């Protein structure tokens, strides 16, 4: 158990819908990262927050957004969902922004029908 | 543009023997490298890491070697055990302009390791 929690574990929804994925980092970790793992792409970095502020952005679609709240939990919002958004979404956390080791949650499996 | 490559999709090894997993990278700005292990239905678990100023790091049965001139790293597992069967990802972190590392990791595609009893 990494100490990073993600909810829900599974999510099934339809195209065009909007969903919110939630992540609670390890106690004491200030930085949160979101990654997407699809079948053909491997693990791709989406976005990073550090102590409530966006710190780095990867290949995140404009339909996707995230935020980190004062209690340090983070939410990833995915809207206008397409079939290709079906993937595993992982959240990771680290103590510092440039933290060397990131600890991953168990992931949320999103299926868009 | 795949900056971190694991060219072997799978590797099969006998219990007790050495497992060698390989990883190549193209970006010379990477300054820190990590190996993660992933079981089905779980998130990646950190295994071992190495800074670009070193060429070797050891932790129990796991050793990571870094050859900067060849832009190549490898993970050695000795001796291999059936419980090591998992997907192994190598990942790299890049120093951004100004010397700051933001922690964004670039992952390889993974290698499925199977250790047979």
């Amino acid at each position: 158990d990494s100490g990073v929690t993600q909810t829900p574990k599974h999510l099934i929804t339809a195209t065009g819908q909007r969903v919110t994925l939630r992540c609670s980092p390890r106690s004491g970790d200030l930085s949160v990262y979101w990654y997407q793992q699809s079948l053909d792409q491997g693990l791709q970095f989406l976005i990073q927050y550090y102590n409530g502020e966006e710190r780095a952005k990867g290949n995140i679609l404009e339909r996707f957004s995230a935020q980190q709240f004062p209690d340090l939990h983070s939410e990833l919002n995915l809207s206008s969902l397409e079939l290709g958004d079906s993937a595993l979404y992982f959240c990771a956390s680290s103590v510092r922004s440039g933290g060397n080791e990131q600890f991953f949650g168990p992931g949320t499996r999103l299926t868009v029908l | 543009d795949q900056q971190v490559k694991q060219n072997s999709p799978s590797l099969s090894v006998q219990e007790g023997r050495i497992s060698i997993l390989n990883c190549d990278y193209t970006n010379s700005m990477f300054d820190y490298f990590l190996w993660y292990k992933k079981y089905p239905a779980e998130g990646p678990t950190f295994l071992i890491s190495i800074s670009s100023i070193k060429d070797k790091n050891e932790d129990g049965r796991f050793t990571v070697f870094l050859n900067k001139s060849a832009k190549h790293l490898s993970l050695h597992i000795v001796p291999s055990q059936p419980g090591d069967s998992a997907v192994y990802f190598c990942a790299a972190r890049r120093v951004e302009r100004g010397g700051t590392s933001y922690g964004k990791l670039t992952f390889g595609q993974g290698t499925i390791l199977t250790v047979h009893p």
Side-chain angles (χ1 to χ4, degrees):
Chain A
D1 184 357
S2 66
V4 178
T5 60
Q6 289 187 249
T7 56
K9 206 169 172 59
H10 301 278
L11 201 45
I12 301 175
T13 188
T15 54
Q17 294 298 304
R18 173 190 165 94
V19 296
T20 297
L21 313 183
R22 185 189 165 103
C23 167
S24 292
R26 291 187 321 157
S27 177
D29 284 0
L30 299 179
S31 204
V32 168
Y33 311 79
W34 286 98
Y35 291 87
Q36 178 193 56
Q37 185 184 22
S38 50
L39 270 171
D40 56 345
Q41 291 285 341
L43 273 156
Q44 301 278 318
F45 170 75
L46 293 178
I47 196 164
Q48 176 200 359
Y49 278 82
Y50 176 74
N51 205 18
E53 292 189 5
E54 183 185 302
R55 188 54 68 98
K57 231 171 179 173
N59 298 324
I60 187 167
L61 299 171
E62 282 191 19
R63 301 184 285 109
F64 295 2
S65 65
Q67 52 185 327
Q68 186 180 27
F69 295 86
D71 67 353
L72 300 177
H73 92 269
S74 178
E75 292 180 356
L76 178 67
N77 301 297
L78 316 176
S79 62
S80 303
L81 285 168
E82 301 175 359
L83 296 177
D85 297 327
S86 296
L88 266 168
Y89 291 85
F90 289 103
C91 166
S93 72
S94 66
V95 173
R96 297 179 288 113
S97 175
N100 291 336
E101 285 83 41
Q102 295 177 19
F103 296 87
F104 282 76
T108 293
R109 181 173 290 282
L110 173 67
T111 303
V112 182
L113 300 175
Chain B
D1 171 27
Q2 212 176 332
Q3 299 184 56
V4 178
K5 292 180 191 176
Q6 293 175 255
N7 290 319
S8 299
S10 63
L11 176 67
S12 185
V13 169
Q14 208 66 32
E15 181 179 6
R17 306 295 290 267
I18 184 170
S19 294
I20 300 177
L21 298 120
N22 293 302
C23 179
D24 296 297
Y25 62 96
T26 56
N27 193 330
S28 57
M29 294 296 286
F30 287 141
D31 73 329
Y32 201 81
F33 303 88
L34 306 90
W35 284 94
Y36 282 84
K37 180 168 79 171
K38 186 182 181 303
Y39 293 117
E42 293 183 14
T45 303
F46 170 73
L47 207 51
I48 193 169
S49 61
I50 188 166
S51 164
S52 59
I53 61 172
K54 292 187 171 183
D55 55 18
K56 178 181 171 182
N57 188 26
E58 236 173 308
D59 184 2
R61 296 186 298 115
F62 302 91
T63 303
V64 56
F65 295 92
L66 175 63
N67 182 333
K68 277 178 61 179
S69 59
K71 293 193 175 68
H72 177 84
L73 67 154
S74 60
L75 174 68
H76 292 210
I77 306 174
V78 185
S80 302
Q81 299 172 354
D84 295 330
S85 298
V87 181
Y88 287 78
F89 292 96
C90 79
R93 187 192 69 187
R94 196 176 84 175
V95 178
E96 304 294 332
R97 248 184 302 194
T100 306
S101 288
Y102 290 117
K104 165 191 169 180
L105 295 179
T106 300
F107 282 84
Q109 294 292 95
T111 297
I112 302 170
L113 173 65
T114 305
V115 180
H116 299 283

